[in-house]
């Protein structure tokens, strides 16, 4: 496995591979890698001859500077995990490599799917995501890039960004990896105590309840949202920020579920912001 830190080095490596007709599969991450990230890396092998992983805690996508400071960082462990997962190249740029001082780029624009949900509660977040992912795509020039469904809205934003900006990159969705108890794996989980981890299980239970209602024939979006809200209000340690049942494609609110829908939620546990979701239909 090769670790590179500059655009020049990665460019050289991928250009050589491209010339030899090899396909590049890319997994962008912010590090502090867990089994969810590893699933993306293994899946990447199905889509490319060369698997590239980036590790960069992107400052521009944190709307809360404290969250950025507290974001877990463990590069040495991450490199070992990438090695074990059979990654070919790890790109670990410094901030100045991604955001040079003399930067002539036009600022990114947001597709409509970036506006509701996380877009509403984390202003600026998706501008940062689009900015860094498009910079990474230009540097790595992948044929395919893999994103986790745990950040479902992020996948939709990237899919639309790729269309709008004309990137020739296939976006692959990878299902959410969970602990055996059902908690969606997240780098932020490492900031939770044993008790917090236990309390956070209520989020997945709430989504399961939504699935149960849907399977029983409930199609009223508000009824499902209300059920989740009241269920989580009774759970100790959970401060729900939002829950919404929306069209799975446009992410706009719906009243009746007639097409695939997304149930998305965000909540704080011990001051740590967690998100989770499930698809209905
Ligand atoms: P992050 O390092 O949090 O920016 O995540 C990097 C990539 O891993 C994103 O595409 C995430 O959606 C994905 N990811 C994070 N957690 C999980 C998970 N539990 N299951 C699947 N993919 C995940």
């Amino acid at each position: 496995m090769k670790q590179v830190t500059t655009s020049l080095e990665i460019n050289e490596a991928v250009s050589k591979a491209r010339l030899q007709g090899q396909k590049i599969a890319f997994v962008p991450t912010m590090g502090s890698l867990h089994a969810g990230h590893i699933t993306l890396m293994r899946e990447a092998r199905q889509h490319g001859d060369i698997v590239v992983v980036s590790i960069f805690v992107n400052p521009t996508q944190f709307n809360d500077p404290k969250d950025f400071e507290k974001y877990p960082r463990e590069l040495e462990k991450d490199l070992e995990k990438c090695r074990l997962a059979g990654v070919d190249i790890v790109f670990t740029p410094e901030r100045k490599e991604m955001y040079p001082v003399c930067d002539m780029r036009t600022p990114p624009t947001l597709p409509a799917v970036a506006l509701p949900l996380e877009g509403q509660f984390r202003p600026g977040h998706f501008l940062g995501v689009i900015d860094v992912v498009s910079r990474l795509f230009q540097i790595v020039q992948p044929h395919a890039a893999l994103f986790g469904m745990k950040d479902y809205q992020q996948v939709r934003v990237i899919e639309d960004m790729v269309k709008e900006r004309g990137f020739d990159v296939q976006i692959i969705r990878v299902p959410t990896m969970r602990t055996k108890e059902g908690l969606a794996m997240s780098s932020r989980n490492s900031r939770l105590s044993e008790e917090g981890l236990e309390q956070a299980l209520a989020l997945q239970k709430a989504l399961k309840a939504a699935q149960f209602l849907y399977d029983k024939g409930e199609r009223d979006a508000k009824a499902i949202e209300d059920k989740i809200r009241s269920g989580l209000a009774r759970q100790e340690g959970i401060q729900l920020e939002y829950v919404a049942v929306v069209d799975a494609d446009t992410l706009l609110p719906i009243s009746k579920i007639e097409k695939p829908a997304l149930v998305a939620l965000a909540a704080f546990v011990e001051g740590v912001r967690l998100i989770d979701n499930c698809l209905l239909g």
Side-chain angles (χ1 to χ4, degrees), residues 123-165:
H125 169 64
F126 284 124
L127 276 176
V129 169
I130 287 183
D131 196 9
V132 77
V133 172
S134 56
R135 284 167 194 259
L136 286 166
F137 280 3
Q138 276 157 359
I139 297 168
V140 177
Q141 299 168 47
H143 295 86
L146 295 93
F147 291 87
M149 302 263 280
K150 194 202 60 116
D151 302 280
Y152 183 90
Q153 188 176 14
Q154 172 170 276
V155 183
R156 284 293 302 110
V157 168
I158 302 288
E159 286 168 345
D160 284 5
M161 175 203 89
V162 161
K163 270 190 227 145
E164 284 171 21
R165 295 195 164 198

Side-chain angles (χ1 to χ4, degrees), residues 28-30 34 36-37 40 71 147-148 150-151 175-177 185:
T29 81
M30 295 204 299
H34 51 66
H37 296 112
L40 267 68
Y71 200 83
F147 291 87
K150 194 202 60 116
D151 302 280
T176 302
M177 181 83 173
M185 289 193 175

Side-chain angles (χ1 to χ4, degrees), residues 6 35 57 162 170 173 197 199 214 233 235:
T6 66
V57 185
V162 161
Q170 189 190 358
R173 298 176 171 197
L197 286 168
Q199 290 169 335
Y214 178 83
Q235 294 293 326

Side-chain angles (χ1 to χ4, degrees), residues 27-90:
V27 180
T29 81
M30 295 204 299
S32 190
L33 303 175
H34 51 66
H37 296 112
I38 307 299
T39 319
L40 267 68
M41 295 174 198
R42 296 208 193 284
E43 182 65 26
R45 190 49 77 199
Q46 309 302 315
H47 300 271
D49 307 296
I50 304 278
V51 174
V52 179
V53 169
S54 64
I55 299 177
F56 177 62
V57 185
N58 175 36
T60 67
Q61 72 187 69
F62 286 82
N63 52 313
D64 174 0
K66 280 206 198 93
D67 192 24
F68 173 65
E69 271 163 40
K70 286 188 193 156
Y71 200 83
R73 289 159 172 91
E74 37 194 35
L75 186 59
E76 283 313 312
K77 277 193 197 161
D78 286 349
L79 291 174
E80 188 50 28
K81 287 178 189 168
C82 290
R83 203 168 285 126
L84 289 173
V87 170
D88 297 296
I89 304 175
V90 185

Side-chain angles (χ1 to χ4, degrees), residues 234-254:
R234 288 193 297 271
Q235 294 293 326
E236 204 167 316
I238 303 269
Q239 284 94 47
L240 184 67
E241 187 172 56
Y242 71 80
V243 55
V245 178
V246 296
D247 182 289
D249 183 42
T250 62
L251 306 188
L252 291 175
I254 46 175

